[in-house]
Amino acid sequence: MHLRGVEHRIWCKEAPLVSAAYTVEYPLDRDFEFRVDAGRRLWRGLNGRPQGAPLHALSVYRRRRLALALRALDARTDGATYREIAEVLLPAHRIGKRDWRTHDLRSQIVRLVKTGFALAQDGYRALLRPPSRRK
């Protein structure tokens, strides 16, 4: 079902009736928090209110960082040095050869490559199942 451009997936035991009242059941499992949020968003959409972003939505910053990490991984597996990767991915940050070894941009590129490797080795699944809020 699409409500105001947002897709909602609903499972009913029988075909829904327009004039009937319905309840929602949520199992108390590890996805409870996300199911409740989806139910709230559905209710808001049915009542003509803004639905808001889901709990597991990626921020613009996170999306950009993941894209950079995958690009950095591709470059590194093709044999590019960290400096070459930095020059392509972040061209506005030109660093002299002398300062490169200790510059924080080098550390940032190394972290991006490590993130890319982690994503490639099943880490991408973490994007499909958001981390628990439990500490």
Side-chain angles (χ1 to χ4, degrees), residues 72 74-85:
D74 284 345
R76 189 67 178 164
T77 55
D78 283 345
T81 65
Y82 291 128
R83 184 176 176 87
E84 291 169 337
I85 295 170

Side-chain angles (χ1 to χ4, degrees), residues 4 9 31 39 57 65 73 115 126:
R4 297 178 158 199
R9 295 180 185 196
D31 293 328
R65 180 164 165 69
L73 170 64
T115 299

Side-chain angles (χ1 to χ4, degrees), residues 93-122:
H93 302 89
R94 296 278 180 205
I95 314 298
K97 284 186 177 185
R98 179 183 288 172
D99 299 328
W100 173 248
R101 292 297 273 159
T102 59
H103 200 278
D104 63 325
L105 184 61
R106 181 181 184 280
S107 299
Q108 181 182 352
I109 295 298
V110 170
R111 284 191 307 272
L112 281 173
V113 171
K114 285 181 181 179
T115 299
F117 274 115
L119 285 169
Q121 296 173 341
D122 276 351

